[in-house]
Amino acid sequence: MADVAQKIKIMKGASPDLSAATYQIFDESHTMGNALRWMLMKNPKVEFCGYSVPHPSENLIQLRVQMYDGLSSLGALLNALSHLDDVCNSIEDIYRASLANGQYEQWQEKS
């Protein structure tokens, strides 16, 4: 069986209850960072969320999540990932349906 690469790592300095933690997410860029930040900030229990790309040559993002009332930032992150997956699936379904129905604009280049 092939080794599975680690996707998410909790960085040092996280609070013991994970109410505030920084996560390293490997093989992702600004696209995922901004989408996750947006989805996390829609949660009213999230006090703060921000992300950074430490260096352009490193293929990872660092995501900081701080929660109100000592709630788990890991739970909020997993919830945000699930909701983001649902949004992407909905967009894909609508796109494929409109493509199958021919509901799209076509453009032909004149030579």
Side-chain angles (χ1 to χ4, degrees):
M1 181 182 263
D3 290 332
V4 177
Q6 184 180 18
K7 186 68 177 176
I8 299 177
K9 173 184 168 186
I10 300 173
M11 297 182 67
K12 290 181 182 178
S15 62
D17 61 356
L18 291 180
S19 61
T22 302
Y23 301 90
Q24 273 190 339
I25 304 175
F26 300 96
D27 295 324
E28 296 299 344
S29 65
H30 286 286
T31 304
M32 180 59 77
N34 194 38
L36 266 177
R37 183 200 56 78
W38 173 76
M39 192 58 77
L40 279 159
M41 289 308 298
K42 290 178 65 72
N43 181 344
K45 297 174 184 172
V46 173
E47 180 179 9
F48 171 82
C49 179
Y51 80 95
S52 66
V53 177
H55 192 275
S57 68
E58 292 182 287
N59 196 21
L60 62 89
I61 60 173
Q62 293 180 347
L63 183 74
R64 176 74 178 177
V65 183
Q66 293 174 205
M67 303 293 292
Y68 288 113
D69 302 327
L71 297 171
S72 172
S73 63
L74 181 58
L77 176 58
L78 294 174
N79 193 31
L81 284 166
S82 176
H83 285 128
L84 191 56
D85 189 46
D86 292 344
V87 168
C88 290
N89 287 334
S90 293
I91 291 169
E92 182 181 18
D93 291 345
I94 292 167
Y95 171 77
R96 289 188 185 278
S98 92
L99 195 60
N101 293 332
Q103 297 175 339
Y104 54 89
E105 184 176 328
Q106 289 185 343
W107 182 78
Q108 293 182 346
E109 185 175 352
K110 297 177 184 177
S111 51

